Amino acid sequence: MTTQPPGDTDDDGRFDSATERSSGTADRHPNAQPLPPGPDGYPIVGNTLEFVRDPFGFYDELEEYGDVVRYRVAGRTFAALFAPASVERVLVGEPKRFERFLFSDLGLDFAPEGLLFTDGAQWRTQRRAMQPAFTIDRIRSYADAMVDEAERTAESWRDGQPVALNRDFSDLTLRILSKALFDVDADPDAEDEPITRAARVINERGDSRRLSTFLPTWLPTPANRRFRRAMAAYRDRVDELIARRRADPDGDDLLSILLRTDDLSETEIRDNLITFTFAGHETTSLGLTYTCMLLAEHDDVAETLRRELETVLDGERPRFEHVPQLEYTERVLNEAMRLYPPAYVLFRRATEDAVVGGYRIPEGTVLSLPQFHLHTDERFYDDPEAFRPERWSEDRDRPEYAYFPFGGGPRHCIGMRFATLEMKLVLATLVRRFDLRLLSDPDPELAVGATLQPDEDVRVRVRRRS
Ligand code: HEM
């Protein structure tokens, strides 16, 4: 993730970057620029069918047209950006002109007053109020709970047992979040756990392989009804937890911290807790799932990782203080999130006419920033499909925004440090104790949901190390 200040951008020579940079000349006359090239598609539905059939292949086709490519899906005009400089310009350089777009008309605005969905002054006030809760000094207090929960998972794994990583990590990250957010021991196995159920329907609602995803939420389809029911139960559960904490407000959990700030309304607090549960749960679980899947296939990497853990931990239980020394662990995670970025495409909407990469972007166009594509572009990565954590220690000149698993600019992931700490501690706890053998496909089919889910379980056999 970058912390680079808003930068001047150069769109890889496609356009006179000095013109684009001067933030005036080009944009004063966007009409003078051509529209981006792109596939024609069918009348009315545009490229929707191609997209629904094979979203990943669809992006491969788009790339053939250049670094800025126009297409239409579900009645909306999109432009995909394949150049890091354009990604940087949109996320970092002019965040006001390109606002977050999250398909709220598809009913995914499950927490309208939370950080993900608010804009302008409301978003700024919230971000400022919540930022202190996510500093490294604050989140270090969650490190022990992260390791406790990872140890619970380790104890549940029997020698020789097959394990569905995505399921076990989904349970684990939900338990860790519930502890950090509410100081509650959530039981993801409980049939009536509203948090798990809501997380599942949100993902289902964003699954672009289902044509139902493109239907409006007011239609009484079974999926829509399921979605609304699950979300109502979820809100009730969070309200109940807020009421409980108000009666006993001295805790160290995130809810207690939010209740102590004066800048947030009751609804904003509730919607942000829902936002964190959603934004921090499957994302982190997927980061761990794909990392362990790749480790299970790459013995050399797993061995190097284990050697680092032996040296740094020296037989102790992992602690916050060990984390800065886990440099190879960090490279392994970076490399796994390069190949399998959990939040694999970001969207922005142009609030006014603009020029990006030399092309006219009319107001209302939705820009798609496909991480998964830029992360494997051979212009920036040698042997881009290979899992090679060492690449992160090599001196390679690559544009900053050829890699952005946590986004960038003012709206970058607020939970980045939390997630990184969590993933490192979980890996340190588990990889030390177990060998993993992959049982499922090493090149899994991916489902295009709200996050980058595997189509089928990612399964390994776990062997306890003495
Ligand atoms: C590996 C784990 C994670 C990944 C890959 C990830 C990725 C991202 C990305 C890419 C964005 C930016 C979206 C955009 O610009 O449109 C984002 C935003 C966000 N993330 Fe994360 N995230 C992770 C974990 C977490 C955790 C643990 C939390 C909370 C506890 C969290 C909370 C949020 C929130 C609230 C936002 C919206 C921030 C804003 O708009 O101000 N994320 N995340």
Side-chain angles (χ1 to χ4, degrees):
M1 172 50 232
T2 179
T3 46
Q4 176 166 310
D8 292 342
T9 61
D10 180 341
D11 269 10
D12 293 339
R14 229 172 209 293
F15 183 61
D16 174 2
S17 58
T19 316
E20 184 155 354
R21 232 185 350 241
S22 66
S23 88
T25 333
D27 295 334
R28 252 184 270 135
H29 308 290
N31 285 344
Q33 306 296 332
L35 287 169
D40 285 341
Y42 300 100
I44 304 175
V45 289
N47 311 104
T48 309
L49 296 177
E50 291 132 282
F51 181 75
V52 170
R53 226 173 274 136
D54 176 13
F56 295 105
F58 181 66
Y59 276 97
D60 286 340
E61 278 172 37
L62 291 183
E63 201 195 12
E64 311 260 304
Y65 291 86
D67 277 346
V68 184
V69 185
R70 188 177 141 95
Y71 62 100
R72 282 180 67 75
V73 166
R76 208 188 292 277
T77 302
F78 289 80
L81 305 184
F82 296 106
S86 298
V87 169
E88 181 171 4
R89 155 120 193 268
V90 166
L91 291 182
V92 188
E94 287 196 273
K96 283 200 183 121
R97 176 175 272 184
F98 303 107
E99 68 182 13
R100 153 110 19 96
F101 178 79
L102 275 170
F103 296 98
S104 48
D105 51 340
L106 295 178
L108 282 173
D109 53 345
F110 47 87
E113 299 225 20
L115 267 186
L116 270 174
F117 291 95
T118 46
D119 272 309
Q122 190 182 12
W123 168 79
R124 246 188 319 280
T125 308
Q126 289 193 14
R127 181 95 194 193
R128 213 172 294 135
M130 280 182 279
Q131 197 73 48
F134 287 94
T135 58
I136 199 74
D137 271 347
R138 274 248 66 108
I139 61 167
R140 65 183 298 160
S141 66
Y142 306 130
D144 269 350
M146 290 169 176
V147 177
D148 284 347
E149 294 303 333
E151 285 183 337
R152 266 180 72 188
T153 297
E155 273 142 33
S156 75
W157 286 359
R158 302 271 158 265
D159 190 31
Q161 176 196 337
V163 163
L165 291 174
N166 48 311
R167 289 173 192 264
D168 279 27
F169 286 143
S170 181
D171 288 358
L172 171 60
T173 55
L174 189 63
R175 291 200 311 266
I176 291 175
L177 260 187
S178 305
K179 204 72 198 159
L181 292 178
F182 314 110
D183 197 16
V184 157
D185 291 308
D187 179 3
D189 289 334
E191 269 297 290
D192 58 349
E193 174 53 68
I195 299 178
T196 323
R197 225 166 348 118
R200 201 172 305 132
V201 293
I202 288 170
N203 220 52
E204 196 179 288
R205 195 71 190 75
D207 186 343
S208 65
R209 290 165 311 160
R210 300 164 193 250
L211 268 175
S212 66
T213 296
F214 298 99
L215 298 173
T217 37
W218 49 261
L219 279 179
T221 61
N224 281 342
R225 275 203 298 268
R226 246 191 338 269
F227 180 76
R228 271 199 295 271
R229 257 201 320 269
M231 290 313 295
Y234 191 16
R235 281 192 200 100
D236 288 348
R237 173 100 158 104
V238 174
D239 280 342
E240 176 198 311
L241 291 165
I242 293 178
R244 202 189 298 170
R245 185 55 77 245
R246 274 218 190 280
D248 174 20
D250 291 334
D252 217 15
D253 53 41
L254 211 91
L255 172 52
S256 307
I257 297 171
L258 297 190
L259 287 176
R260 287 198 288 265
T261 67
D262 295 329
D263 296 331
L264 304 175
S265 72
E266 188 92 4
T267 312
E268 286 180 312
I269 291 177
R270 184 187 70 188
D271 278 9
N272 274 301
L273 291 168
I274 293 175
T275 301
F276 296 142
T277 318
F278 165 68
H281 168 212
E282 282 300 323
T283 43
T284 317
S285 163
L286 291 169
L288 286 166
T289 298
Y290 294 123
T291 304
C292 287
M293 177 190 87
L294 290 159
L295 286 174
E297 277 288 280
H298 294 82
D299 290 341
D300 51 334
V301 177
E303 270 321 304
T304 312
L305 179 56
R306 258 183 215 115
R307 270 201 303 280
E308 172 170 276
L309 295 175
E310 272 156 28
T311 312
V312 173
L313 303 180
D314 197 18
E316 287 181 21
R317 170 188 145 104
R319 278 182 288 115
F320 176 82
E321 289 69 21
H322 292 129
V323 171
Q325 297 167 66
L326 297 177
E327 290 175 5
Y328 190 73
T329 313
E330 177 162 297
R331 282 177 212 142
V332 168
L333 281 166
N334 283 350
E335 182 68 345
M337 285 196 293
R338 180 180 72 80
L339 291 169
Y340 295 95
Y344 58 100
V345 53
L346 309 184
F347 294 100
R348 292 292 186 270
R349 188 182 150 278
T351 56
E352 54 187 281
D353 290 353
V355 174
V356 177
Y359 291 104
R360 173 151 58 98
I361 303 295
E363 179 193 340
T365 304
V366 177
L367 297 165
S368 70
L369 284 48
Q371 280 181 9
F372 68 97
H373 225 283
L374 278 103
H375 285 188
T376 50
D377 188 324
E378 58 194 11
R379 289 178 293 181
F380 318 120
Y381 297 95
D382 306 324
D383 197 4
E385 302 299 333
F387 176 61
R388 226 169 41 77
E390 287 68 22
R391 75 170 81 241
W392 295 103
S393 55
E394 290 159 6
D395 224 3
R396 168 79 154 86
D397 202 15
R398 110 170 25 98
E400 180 106 31
Y401 280 82
Y403 185 70
F404 54 109
F406 292 103
R411 302 208 66 154
H412 76 267
C413 178
I414 198 171
M416 180 179 70
R417 289 193 188 87
F418 184 102
T420 311
L421 178 68
E422 176 178 359
M423 290 190 291
K424 286 179 185 170
L425 289 172
V426 170
L427 276 187
T429 306
L430 296 178
V431 173
R432 206 158 58 126
R433 297 198 194 176
F434 295 96
D435 279 319
L436 310 174
R437 280 289 136 260
L438 193 63
L439 298 174
S440 52
D441 189 346
D443 187 16
E445 288 286 319
L446 300 170
V448 184
T451 47
L452 191 66
Q453 298 279 339
D455 209 18
E456 291 180 355
D457 286 345
V458 175
R459 291 182 313 113
V460 293
R461 189 174 304 286
V462 296
R463 287 262 173 237
R464 198 169 275 278
R465 295 165 65 81
S466 51

